[in-house]
Amino acid sequence: MSLFNVFNVAGSGMAAQSQRLNVVASNLANADSTTSANGQPYKAKQVVFSATPVAGSGSSQGVKVASVVEDNSPMKMVYDPKHPMADAQGYVAMPNVNVVDEMVNMISASRAYQNNVDVMNTSKTLLLKTLTIGQ
């Protein structure tokens, strides 16, 4: 594995974590929405990662987003008979977004992204130091 492949591997991780952060932001933005574009309550989404070979590197593996799937856990039912979306019993179906879980996902994705940035910066520093050997 070439040392330059580190940039490709870390870059793939940054791209994947960036998409994960976008999904978390979407979930948090819709945590209190009673309807989505299809007229149903918003369903939380989760990102599924998979390993992928890095182009031109032989055995190096990066990461990519394989898919974004909807969480099939049940909707939260909130008793609010005055709400316009309430059913005959007075319950409103709210999104299945757990705000605490989403905050944990956001912190995890943010730290993973930062770790990839640190890997790139350290590799860059090592390459620059290597160029100064013998001077």
Side-chain angles (χ1 to χ4, degrees), residues 42-127:
Y42 177 82
K43 287 187 173 184
K45 294 177 177 50
Q46 301 296 326
V47 175
V48 178
F49 293 140
S50 68
T52 182
V54 175
S57 65
S59 63
S60 297
Q61 295 282 314
V63 64
K64 71 173 185 174
V65 174
S67 64
V68 177
V69 297
E70 287 188 345
D71 186 355
N72 288 325
S73 61
M75 298 291 168
K76 291 186 287 188
M77 300 303 287
V78 177
Y79 182 72
D80 187 4
K82 295 180 183 176
H83 195 282
M85 299 298 292
D87 62 8
Q89 288 82 31
Y91 286 95
V92 179
M94 300 294 288
N96 57 355
V97 176
N98 185 332
V99 176
V100 175
D101 288 346
E102 295 302 325
M103 293 300 290
V104 170
N105 277 339
M106 183 177 67
I107 292 169
S108 174
S110 174
R111 289 191 177 164
Y113 188 92
Q114 183 61 44
N115 287 339
N116 284 308
V117 169
D118 290 344
V119 165
M120 292 181 83
N121 285 334
T122 301
S123 298
K124 177 183 157 193
T125 302
L126 287 172
L127 287 170

Side-chain angles (χ1 to χ4, degrees), residues 1-11 54-61:
M1 179 169 114
S2 168
L3 185 57
F4 293 107
N5 285 335
V6 171
F7 295 109
N8 293 332
V9 173
V54 175
S57 65
S59 63
S60 297
Q61 295 282 314

